[in-house]
C-alpha cells in the first residue's frame, strides 16, 4: 500500500516569489508520482508526472518537480508565481503496475498575494 | 489527451432519494474506472474500483449497498447514491486509466437537502 504526505496545508506567497510545495510518499513497491491542480469547484488538472527516466520533470506553465527516491519525495517548485496560480495542489501516487489507481495527499492550498 | 465525461456536474436532491452519476470515457475504452469522494476542503478519497462486467471493489469503510456501482460497458460506469442523506453531500469524481496517467471527469457536486 502507498501513502502520501503533504505537510503544508496552506502556503501563502507573494506574486513573483518562488514557491515549493512538499510531497513525501511511502511505498513498498515502485511508484508513479503526480501533481494535480484543482481550481474552486472544478475537477483535477494534471500538472506533471514522473513515471521513469529523468528525475526532474517540468510542466508547460513553469512548474517543476524532482523525484528523489532516497528521500521518497516529489516536491513541486515554481521560480516565480502568478496570481493565477492560486489553487489547491494535490500530490498523488500509484503503484508502477499501470493501474493508475491513485492515493492522494491531503492537498496544499497555494495562495498568491499581490 | 483522452476525455472522461461525468454527468451531472451538480445535483440537488431530497433526503431519502437516490441519485445516479455517470462517468463516460469518450474516446477510449476503460475496463476499470475509479470513483473518489472529496469532502469540502479535504482530499480525494478512493471509494471503489469499477470493473467492467464484474462486481466493483469497495475500499474499507465504504458501504457497497449505499453506493451502487455498475460498469455495464467499456465506456460507462455509474455510481448511484441510494437513500441519500445530508452527510452524503460531497464532490464525487471518477477517473479512467490511460497509458501513462488517469483521466478525470469534471466531478459532480451532490447536495442532499
Amino acid at each position: 500500500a502507498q501513502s502520501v504526505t503533504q505537510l503544508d496545508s496552506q502556503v501563502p506567497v507573494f506574486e513573483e516569489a518562488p514557491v515549493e510545495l512538499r510531497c513525501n510518499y511511502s511505498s513498498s513497491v515502485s511508484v508513479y508520482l503526480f501533481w494535480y491542480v484543482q481550481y474552486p469547484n472544478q475537477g483535477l488538472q494534471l500538472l506533471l508526472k514522473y513515471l521513469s527516466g529523468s528525475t526532474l520533470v517540468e510542466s508547460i506553465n513553469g512548474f517543476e518537480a524532482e523525484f528523489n527516491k532516497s528521500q521518497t519525495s516529489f516536491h513541486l517548485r515554481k521560480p516565480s508565481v502568478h496570481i493565477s496560480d492560486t489553487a489547491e495542489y494535490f500530490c498523488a501516487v500509484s503503484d508502477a503496475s499501470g493501474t493508475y489507481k491513485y492515493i492522494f495527499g491531503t492537498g496544499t492550498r497555494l495562495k498568491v498575494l499581490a | 489527451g483522452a476525455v472522461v465525461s461525468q454527468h451531472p456536474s451538480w445535483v440537488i436532491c431530497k433526503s431519502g432519494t437516490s441519485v445516479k452519476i455517470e462517468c463516460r470515457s469518450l474516446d477510449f475504452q476503460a475496463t476499470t474506472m475509479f470513483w473518489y469522494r472529496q469532502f469540502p476542503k479535504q482530499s480525494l478519497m478512493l471509494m471503489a474500483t469499477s470493473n467492467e462486467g464484474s462486481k466493483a471493489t469497495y475500499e474499507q469503510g465504504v458501504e457497497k449497498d449505499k453506493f451502487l456501482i455498475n460498469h455495464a460497458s467499456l465506456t460507462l460506469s455509474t455510481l448511484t447514491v441510494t437513500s441519500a442523506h445530508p452527510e452524503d453531500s460531497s464532490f464525487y469524481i471518477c477517473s479512467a486509466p490511460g497509458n501513462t496517467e488517469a483521466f478525470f471527469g469534471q466531478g459532480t457536486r451532490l447536495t442532499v437537502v
Side-chain angles (χ1 to χ4, degrees), chain A residues 63-89:
Chain A
F63 283 95
E64 65 177 31
E66 186 160 20
F67 170 59
N68 188 317
K69 189 174 181 179
S70 63
Q71 296 187 8
T72 60
S73 67
F74 190 56
H75 301 331
L76 181 70
R77 296 187 293 261
K78 189 171 186 180
S80 176
V81 296
H82 302 288
I83 295 288
S84 59
D85 292 324
T86 295
E88 188 86 20
Y89 291 80

Side-chain angles (χ1 to χ4, degrees), chain B residues 39-50:
Chain B
F39 290 108
K41 299 186 178 181
Q42 294 188 30
S43 188
L44 294 92
M45 301 300 295
L46 179 66
M47 296 176 66
T49 302
S50 174

